[in-house]
Amino acid sequence: MDRFGNYLQSLEVRYANHHTTSEQIEQSLSEALKVAVNYAKEKQKPIGHENLNFNKKKLVLKAHSPEQAKLISGFAYSTYQALLKDKCEVAGVRLIGVSPAFTSQIGHHKFMKKYGLNSHSSAAMVIARRSLKFNKIERMPVKHLLTGNPCKIVQICRWKQWKELTKQWKKYTFKSKIYLLNQL
Protein backbone atom coordinates (compact mmCIF):
# COMPACT_ATOMS: atom_id res chain seq x y z
CA MET A 1 0.00 0.00 0.00
CA ASP A 2 1.33 3.43 -0.86
CA ARG A 3 1.22 6.47 1.42
CA PHE A 4 -2.25 7.33 0.12
CA GLY A 5 -3.72 3.91 0.94
CA ASN A 6 -3.74 2.60 -2.63
CA TYR A 7 -3.05 -1.03 -3.42
CA LEU A 8 0.44 -1.84 -4.69
CA GLN A 9 0.90 -5.59 -4.27
CA SER A 10 -0.18 -8.46 -2.06
CA LEU A 11 1.63 -11.28 -0.36
CA GLU A 12 -0.22 -14.57 -0.54
CA VAL A 13 0.90 -17.11 2.03
CA ARG A 14 -0.90 -20.45 2.15
CA TYR A 15 -1.02 -22.98 4.94
CA ALA A 16 -2.43 -26.49 5.31
CA ASN A 17 -5.74 -26.36 7.18
CA HIS A 18 -7.68 -29.37 5.91
CA HIS A 19 -7.16 -33.12 6.09
CA THR A 20 -4.26 -32.82 8.52
CA THR A 21 -3.78 -33.18 12.26
CA SER A 22 -4.14 -30.16 14.53
CA GLU A 23 -0.37 -30.26 15.16
CA GLN A 24 0.33 -30.15 11.43
CA ILE A 25 -2.12 -27.28 10.98
CA GLU A 26 -0.47 -25.33 13.79
CA GLN A 27 3.00 -25.95 12.36
CA SER A 28 1.88 -24.90 8.88
CA LEU A 29 0.20 -21.78 10.28
CA SER A 30 3.34 -20.95 12.26
CA GLU A 31 5.47 -21.20 9.12
CA ALA A 32 3.02 -19.04 7.13
CA LEU A 33 2.98 -16.38 9.85
CA LYS A 34 6.77 -16.45 9.97
CA VAL A 35 6.86 -15.61 6.24
CA ALA A 36 4.34 -12.77 6.69
CA VAL A 37 6.10 -11.29 9.73
CA ASN A 38 9.49 -11.47 8.02
CA TYR A 39 8.02 -9.71 4.99
CA ALA A 40 6.58 -6.95 7.21
CA LYS A 41 9.92 -6.60 8.98
CA GLU A 42 11.78 -6.36 5.66
CA LYS A 43 9.34 -3.69 4.39
CA GLN A 44 9.34 -1.95 7.81
CA LYS A 45 5.54 -2.07 7.98
CA PRO A 46 3.13 -3.02 10.78
CA ILE A 47 0.73 -5.94 10.51
CA GLY A 48 -2.99 -5.28 10.79
CA HIS A 49 -5.42 -7.98 11.89
CA GLU A 50 -9.10 -8.21 12.78
CA ASN A 51 -10.07 -8.37 16.44
CA LEU A 52 -12.51 -11.23 16.03
CA ASN A 53 -14.60 -12.74 18.80
CA PHE A 54 -16.13 -16.19 18.26
CA ASN A 55 -17.82 -16.56 21.66
CA LYS A 56 -21.35 -16.15 20.22
CA LYS A 57 -20.63 -18.61 17.39
CA LYS A 58 -19.33 -21.20 19.83
CA LEU A 59 -22.57 -20.99 21.82
CA VAL A 60 -24.65 -21.97 18.79
CA LEU A 61 -22.40 -24.76 17.47
CA LYS A 62 -24.84 -27.38 18.73
CA ALA A 63 -27.47 -26.10 16.29
CA HIS A 64 -25.23 -26.86 13.30
CA SER A 65 -24.47 -30.11 11.59
CA PRO A 66 -21.21 -31.79 12.67
CA GLU A 67 -19.55 -30.71 9.39
CA GLN A 68 -20.53 -27.06 9.83
CA ALA A 69 -19.53 -27.10 13.50
CA LYS A 70 -16.11 -28.48 12.57
CA LEU A 71 -15.56 -25.71 10.01
CA ILE A 72 -16.53 -23.01 12.51
CA SER A 73 -14.50 -24.42 15.39
CA GLY A 74 -11.74 -25.89 13.21
CA PHE A 75 -9.91 -22.62 12.76
CA ALA A 76 -8.38 -21.97 16.14
CA TYR A 77 -8.34 -18.21 16.06
CA SER A 78 -6.87 -17.96 19.56
CA THR A 79 -3.90 -20.05 18.38
CA TYR A 80 -3.53 -17.80 15.35
CA GLN A 81 -3.63 -14.67 17.53
CA ALA A 82 -1.08 -16.06 20.00
CA LEU A 83 1.31 -17.17 17.25
CA LEU A 84 1.02 -13.86 15.40
CA LYS A 85 1.55 -11.82 18.57
CA ASP A 86 4.61 -13.86 19.58
CA LYS A 87 6.20 -13.71 16.13
CA CYS A 88 5.62 -9.96 15.87
CA GLU A 89 7.14 -9.36 19.31
CA VAL A 90 10.23 -11.43 18.51
CA ALA A 91 10.70 -9.70 15.13
CA GLY A 92 9.95 -6.22 16.45
CA VAL A 93 6.99 -5.77 14.11
CA ARG A 94 4.06 -3.68 15.35
CA LEU A 95 0.74 -5.55 15.46
CA ILE A 96 -2.44 -3.47 15.08
CA GLY A 97 -5.88 -4.90 15.81
CA VAL A 98 -8.86 -3.38 13.99
CA SER A 99 -12.62 -3.75 14.02
CA PRO A 100 -13.91 -6.46 11.67
CA ALA A 101 -17.11 -4.51 10.93
CA PHE A 102 -18.06 -4.64 7.25
CA THR A 103 -14.54 -5.48 6.01
CA SER A 104 -15.86 -7.87 3.36
CA GLN A 105 -18.62 -5.54 2.18
CA ILE A 106 -16.34 -2.52 1.98
CA GLY A 107 -13.75 -4.61 0.16
CA HIS A 108 -16.33 -5.83 -2.36
CA HIS A 109 -17.75 -2.40 -3.06
CA LYS A 110 -14.58 -0.33 -3.04
CA PHE A 111 -11.57 -2.45 -3.99
CA MET A 112 -12.47 -5.68 -5.85
CA LYS A 113 -13.22 -4.10 -9.20
CA LYS A 114 -10.83 -1.15 -8.80
CA TYR A 115 -7.76 -3.35 -8.23
CA GLY A 116 -8.95 -6.69 -9.63
CA LEU A 117 -8.73 -8.41 -6.23
CA ASN A 118 -10.54 -11.47 -4.96
CA SER A 119 -12.94 -11.12 -2.03
CA HIS A 120 -10.36 -12.13 0.60
CA SER A 121 -7.69 -9.76 -0.71
CA SER A 122 -10.15 -6.88 -0.93
CA ALA A 123 -11.22 -7.47 2.70
CA ALA A 124 -7.52 -7.61 3.65
CA MET A 125 -7.11 -4.25 1.92
CA VAL A 126 -9.77 -2.78 4.22
CA ILE A 127 -8.02 -4.27 7.27
CA ALA A 128 -4.67 -2.85 6.14
CA ARG A 129 -6.17 0.58 5.49
CA ARG A 130 -7.84 0.60 8.91
CA SER A 131 -4.62 -0.37 10.64
CA LEU A 132 -2.89 2.56 8.92
CA LYS A 133 -5.75 4.94 9.82
CA PHE A 134 -7.15 5.33 6.29
CA ASN A 135 -10.58 4.25 7.59
CA LYS A 136 -11.87 7.84 7.65
CA ILE A 137 -12.35 7.65 3.89
CA GLU A 138 -14.36 4.40 3.79
CA ARG A 139 -17.36 6.21 2.42
CA MET A 140 -20.09 4.12 0.93
CA PRO A 141 -20.48 4.44 -2.87
CA VAL A 142 -23.99 5.90 -3.10
CA LYS A 143 -24.47 4.47 -6.59
CA HIS A 144 -24.30 0.96 -5.06
CA LEU A 145 -27.55 1.48 -3.14
CA LEU A 146 -30.28 -0.64 -4.65
CA THR A 147 -33.28 0.94 -2.90
CA GLY A 148 -34.12 3.91 -0.70
CA ASN A 149 -33.44 7.60 -0.83
CA PRO A 150 -29.67 8.16 -1.34
CA CYS A 151 -29.86 11.69 0.10
CA LYS A 152 -31.40 10.36 3.31
CA ILE A 153 -28.91 7.49 3.63
CA VAL A 154 -25.88 9.75 3.03
CA GLN A 155 -26.92 11.82 6.07
CA ILE A 156 -26.67 8.91 8.53
CA CYS A 157 -23.38 7.82 10.10
CA ARG A 158 -20.91 5.81 8.06
CA TRP A 159 -21.45 2.45 9.86
CA LYS A 160 -25.22 2.69 9.41
CA GLN A 161 -24.68 3.41 5.72
CA TRP A 162 -22.64 0.22 5.34
CA LYS A 163 -25.21 -1.70 7.39
CA GLU A 164 -27.98 -0.54 5.05
CA LEU A 165 -25.92 -1.41 1.96
CA THR A 166 -25.11 -4.86 3.40
CA LYS A 167 -28.80 -5.50 4.07
CA GLN A 168 -29.71 -4.57 0.49
CA TRP A 169 -27.04 -6.80 -1.08
CA LYS A 170 -27.54 -9.78 1.27
CA LYS A 171 -30.15 -11.45 -0.95
CA TYR A 172 -27.68 -11.87 -3.84
CA THR A 173 -25.24 -14.72 -4.32
CA PHE A 174 -21.56 -13.91 -4.53
CA LYS A 175 -21.56 -14.36 -8.34
CA SER A 176 -24.59 -12.10 -8.69
CA LYS A 177 -22.89 -9.45 -6.57
CA ILE A 178 -19.78 -9.57 -8.75
CA TYR A 179 -21.93 -9.22 -11.88
CA LEU A 180 -23.85 -6.27 -10.42
CA LEU A 181 -20.69 -4.55 -9.17
CA ASN A 182 -19.15 -4.80 -12.64
CA GLN A 183 -22.28 -3.16 -14.09
CA LEU A 184 -22.02 -0.12 -11.80
Side-chain angles (χ1 to χ4, degrees):
M1 187 174 306
D2 68 10
R3 64 190 178 111
F4 302 108
N6 296 312
Y7 173 80
L8 294 176
Q9 69 182 43
S10 63
L11 172 69
E12 188 172 323
V13 182
R14 296 181 182 265
Y15 76 100
N17 62 346
H18 292 296
H19 310 297
T20 56
T21 66
S22 57
E23 292 82 15
Q24 290 171 324
I25 291 172
E26 187 172 338
Q27 179 62 36
S28 180
L29 179 60
S30 179
E31 290 298 320
L33 289 173
K34 182 178 176 182
V35 170
V37 169
N38 286 339
Y39 181 80
K41 184 177 181 177
E42 176 187 310
K43 298 290 183 181
Q44 298 179 341
K45 299 288 183 188
I47 291 181
H49 74 100
E50 289 179 307
N51 285 327
L52 298 174
N53 185 341
F54 290 103
N55 291 336
K56 288 180 186 175
K57 290 235 186 212
K58 287 180 182 178
L59 290 175
V60 296
L61 278 179
K62 292 180 182 177
H64 293 284
S65 70
E67 293 81 20
Q68 288 174 319
K70 185 176 180 182
L71 281 175
I72 293 170
S73 65
F75 183 72
Y77 188 73
S78 58
T79 302
Y80 160 78
Q81 280 183 315
L83 285 170
L84 181 59
K85 183 179 177 189
D86 290 345
K87 291 186 182 309
C88 284
E89 283 177 6
V90 168
V93 173
R94 196 173 86 178
L95 183 62
I96 304 168
V98 299
S99 168
F102 305 109
T103 52
S104 295
Q105 286 297 322
I106 293 170
H108 287 171
H109 289 277
K110 294 197 75 172
F111 304 117
M112 268 179 88
K113 182 179 175 185
K114 183 177 182 179
Y115 296 116
L117 300 172
N118 64 35
S119 61
H120 300 298
S121 296
S122 61
M125 176 91 175
V126 175
I127 295 165
R129 289 172 57 86
R130 281 186 187 168
S131 68
L132 296 174
K133 305 293 185 211
F134 285 106
N135 57 325
K136 300 294 183 209
I137 54 176
E138 287 178 346
R139 290 191 178 90
M140 181 198 64
V142 178
K143 66 181 182 178
H144 290 201
L145 285 169
L146 302 174
T147 61
N149 182 353
C151 295
K152 195 175 188 180
I153 293 172
V154 168
Q155 294 174 356
I156 60 178
C157 78
R158 189 167 33 107
W159 292 121
K160 287 183 180 177
Q161 291 174 359
W162 283 108
K163 186 175 184 177
E164 175 62 29
L165 187 72
T166 300
K167 187 170 66 173
Q168 290 182 16
W169 284 75
K170 202 168 204 132
K171 64 183 175 183
Y172 295 99
T173 65
F174 181 73
K175 286 185 178 182
S176 298
K177 287 178 189 178
I178 299 304
Y179 175 78
L180 287 170
L181 287 170
N182 283 321
Q183 300 306 307
L184 297 174

